[in-house]
Structures are given as structure tokens and as C-alpha cells.
Amino acid sequence: MVSPNGVMHMAEEHALPLGKTLEEERAWFEAQVKECEAHLLRFAYYLTGNTERAKDLVQEAFLRAFQYRHSFDHRYPFENWVSAILLNIHRQREKKDRFLKFFSAFWQAEQEDEAEDFTEQLEDEGEGPETIALKRQVIRDVYRCIEGLPPKMKEVMVLCDIMGYSYEEASEVIGCPIGTVRSRLHRARRYVKKALEAAYGDELLGLWG
Amino acid sequence: MTSFLGFGDENMRCREVVRKLSAFLDEELSREEYLKVQRHLEVCALCRKEYEKFALVRAVARKLGDITPRIVPEEGFSLERALRSMRRGRVLWALVAVLGLFVAFLVFWGWQRASLDEQILDVEHFAAFSEDVLTRSTVRVETLEFLAGEYR
């Protein structure tokens, strides 16, 4: 869209290729959602550590994304944009949970949910049952460490290591400079490394082939 | 130049190298820095050990990402459904708000009523009191007049 004086407006330039009607907007949005739903579910799962909460989080993120669809900038991937929204909602919920936890002594008991063991999916690559059991144990330990990280470090570790984002993409999702992502990730890995060192001692390096 | 603190070559000290190991693993360093770290790792066994530990943490976390937990959305996200549930939520909140306002009004009304009763009581008391005062003052005036007559 070019205005009479020849200036291209940012908002118009990167507006959605939505078409004119609400129906077309919805169709476009649902197509985008279908593409990235599984990915976002994984992201939400690693943030919350719970399937039900992950589903709920993704649902709300999509809804909010639809409400603010006109602020989506087409230069960036849709997935990253919704990831950023999801992360914001997650942060808000964490804050609320912390507040509730402060006032409710029984919150911890309510929070107890099924600890899913998805390490069963680790395939045996002809290494033998002992090695595979050990690997599963290491994965479980690392997962527990990541769950116990401070929220900001956890976000970066989930994005960069588990989801495989680059530093630049992670910085877009989190909304901070790349340098911050770099230092947070380093600290997070150092934390996990120390925990593993404490658990396995000198055998640590021989654990992973 | 060898560094002053700790082992080092080409101005890279172990401490600096360790701080950059994470970014080195992800190949997120500038080419110059990358080469410096690489050169350092070739000669420094301690840093190499640290590097291997960081690499292990990274590899395990990546593996963790590969074995996706089984999350199957039952029906997938439906905009229609989500919007409907959102609207339902809004209606519920609106009802709660209306109910709250009604209760607040009732409380306020009751309080007003109570305070009105009190005010009426106050007025009655005041009337009784002023009546009393008036009677007394009339008596006093009459007495004064009588005394004045006597004096004359």
C-alpha cells in the first residue's frame, strides 16, 4: 500500500495477506495454526512439564494471537510470533502461581501431577540394555535439572537446546538481545553440568557415547 | 603473548575460553573468536575437558528434544470452539459482575436505611431535648419577670 505521497506504511506493508472478510482471515489463521500446533505443544510441554497445562497454554496463545492478528509482522515466522505470545502467557501464569503458592500452603499438594516418563521412546541403537538404561537415567536427570532452573534460564535452554532455535530466533521469542541469550544459555548449561558432575563425578564423560 | 593469569595463548585465558564454550558449541561466535577458542582447546587439556562436559549437556538436551513427549491434541485447535468458550467465559464474568454490583447495592441500601433510622432517632432526641430546654427557659424567664416585679 502506498500513500499519495509515496510513503509505504509499515503496518500496511506487513499486514496479513488476509483478504477482506473475516471468513478469509479465519481460514488463513487456521492454516497457519495447523502447521505449527505440534511444535508449540512441545514447547509448552517443556515449559510447563505437564500435558494438560501445555494444551491449555497453546489454546490460549492461539486465541490471543487471533485477537491480535493485525499486529503480526510478516517478515518473521508465524511460529515464533505465537511462541512469544505463549511465553508471555506462561510468564503471567507463573507469576500468578507464585502468588497463590505464597498464600496457600496446600498448593504444592495440588500441583502434584503425573510424572510422565517419555524416555521410553529412546530407541535402542544396538547398545545393549545397560547402556540404554543409563542414557535414560541421564536424560531424566537433565530434564529434572532443566525443570529446576530459574525461569529465565529455563526458557533459553528449552528454546535453544531442546527446540533447536538459533540464538537470534530465541532472542526474538524472548524479546531480549542476543548477548543476553548467550550468557543465560551458558549459565543454564553450567548449572546442569554442575548438577551432573555432582551426581556422576568422574564417570560423567563416559556416559554419553 | 602468554597471559598473566592462568594458561593462555594469543591473549585468550582459560576463564575467557570457558565463558565462550557454550557459544562455541553452537557456532555462534565470530570467526576470529571461534578460531581463538579452537586453538586454545587444541593445547589446553583442562579446557578441553570442560568443553566435553558442555558438549555432553548440549547433546543430552538435544536428545531430550528429539524424543518428543506424546502430546496428541484430541481434536486440534478450532478457532470456532475457542472463540465460543471465550465468549462463554465473558458472559460468566459479566454475570458475576452484575451479581456483585447487586450485592453491593443491597449492602449500601441497608446501611443507608440503618443510618436513616439513626438520624430519625437523633432528631427525635434533639426535639425532646430542645423542648426540655425551651420549657426550662420559659420557666426561667417567668421567674425572672416575677422577681423583677417584686423588685419594683
Side-chain angles (χ1 to χ4, degrees):
Chain A
M1 296 280 168
V2 182
S3 67
N5 54 10
V7 179
M8 183 95 79
H9 291 297
M10 282 286 284
E12 287 174 10
E13 181 193 350
H14 302 293
L16 298 176
L18 292 166
K20 312 287 184 284
T21 63
L22 186 64
E23 288 309 310
E24 281 172 6
E25 283 184 5
R26 281 188 180 185
W28 174 85
F29 188 82
E30 275 176 349
Q32 297 286 327
V33 161
K34 228 171 248 170
E35 270 176 38
C36 64
E37 192 172 9
H39 181 85
L40 280 166
L41 270 169
R42 272 181 66 213
F43 180 40
Y45 178 82
Y46 286 117
L47 282 180
T48 59
N50 177 296
T51 319
E52 284 312 309
R53 259 181 288 167
K55 281 179 189 169
D56 195 41
L57 195 60
V58 170
Q59 180 94 351
E60 196 175 332
F62 279 142
L63 195 59
R64 208 175 282 186
F66 184 73
Q67 284 173 316
Y68 294 99
R69 62 196 180 279
H70 294 287
S71 63
F72 171 56
D73 187 338
H74 265 265
R75 287 170 296 179
Y76 305 110
F78 181 80
E79 199 175 278
N80 292 2
W81 181 61
V82 185
S83 298
I85 294 175
L86 191 141
L87 193 59
N88 273 331
I89 298 172
H90 172 68
R91 282 174 182 167
Q92 286 168 3
R93 286 186 178 186
E94 285 266 288
K95 214 183 271 177
K96 210 171 18 177
D97 282 357
R98 268 204 298 276
F99 178 77
L100 287 174
K101 212 188 276 179
F102 183 76
F103 288 104
S104 162
F106 304 105
W107 188 254
Q108 205 56 44
E110 287 166 30
Q111 290 279 298
E112 293 290 331
D113 4 73
E114 88 288 24
E116 233 174 291
D117 189 15
F118 49 86
T119 51
E120 297 299 321
Q121 292 176 54
L122 189 68
E123 281 161 23
D124 195 340
E125 292 158 353
E127 293 153 310
E130 270 177 39
T131 320
I132 207 83
L134 193 62
K135 275 190 172 184
R136 275 179 189 151
Q137 186 56 43
V138 177
I139 290 180
R140 248 176 262 137
D141 286 343
V142 167
Y143 181 57
R144 218 168 294 141
C145 282
I146 294 174
E147 282 212 308
L149 283 172
K152 285 180 176 173
M153 285 197 223
K154 185 178 164 184
E155 286 164 13
V156 178
M157 190 114 187
V158 168
L159 278 171
C160 294
D161 276 348
I162 298 182
M163 305 297 294
Y165 278 48
S166 70
Y167 286 15
E168 199 184 345
E169 285 171 324
S171 78
E172 274 169 23
V173 172
I174 297 171
C176 69
I178 292 183
T180 313
V181 172
R182 187 178 298 156
S183 62
R184 277 185 197 165
L185 184 62
H186 179 71
R187 269 184 288 145
R189 280 179 184 164
R190 197 176 55 195
Y191 181 95
V192 177
K193 184 193 71 134
K194 278 187 182 165
L196 288 183
E197 276 174 348
Y200 296 96
D202 294 333
E203 291 165 18
L204 179 63
L205 285 175
L207 290 176
W208 205 261
Chain B
M1 198 181 98
T2 317
S3 72
F4 177 66
L5 283 172
F7 184 86
D9 61 292
E10 302 221 355
N11 302 329
M12 269 265 187
R13 294 174 199 154
C14 291
R15 212 194 299 169
E16 266 179 75
V17 169
V18 169
R19 215 179 293 150
K20 287 186 172 122
L21 280 180
S22 213
F24 175 78
L25 272 165
D26 294 324
E27 299 184 5
E28 294 271 358
L29 284 174
S30 68
R31 188 170 163 69
E32 196 186 337
E33 276 179 318
Y34 186 87
L35 289 174
K36 274 184 185 174
V37 174
Q38 201 176 29
R39 248 176 272 143
H40 181 94
L41 288 181
E42 278 165 15
V43 288
C44 177
L46 273 177
C47 288
R48 206 160 46 235
K49 206 171 173 187
E50 279 299 293
Y51 165 78
E52 281 164 10
K53 285 177 185 170
F54 270 103
L56 180 131
V57 170
R58 184 175 176 269
V60 177
R62 290 267 154 135
K63 195 75 195 169
L64 183 63
D66 290 343
I67 42 174
T68 318
R70 289 185 210 92
I71 312 176
V72 186
E74 291 94 12
E75 300 148 310
F77 176 78
S78 151
L79 198 57
E80 199 61 49
R81 204 170 346 112
L83 285 172
R84 214 182 304 133
S85 75
M86 186 187 72
R87 267 183 230 123
R88 212 176 297 139
R90 277 184 186 169
V91 168
L92 205 70
W93 275 116
L95 278 177
V96 167
V98 167
L99 206 70
L101 278 174
F102 183 65
V103 168
F105 170 74
L106 277 183
V107 168
F108 182 71
W109 183 69
W111 175 62
Q112 281 289 307
R113 266 301 287 271
S115 76
L116 192 67
D117 288 347
E118 271 172 28
Q119 280 173 29
I120 290 167
L121 268 180
D122 281 354
V123 169
E124 278 169 4
H125 284 153
F126 181 72
F129 172 73
S130 43
E131 225 169 77
D132 192 30
V133 168
L134 280 175
T135 328
R136 263 192 244 156
S137 51
T138 323
V139 170
R140 203 172 297 154
V141 169
E142 280 169 2
T143 319
L144 281 172
E145 275 172 0
F146 170 75
L147 286 174
E150 285 287 296
Y151 182 74
R152 269 190 227 115

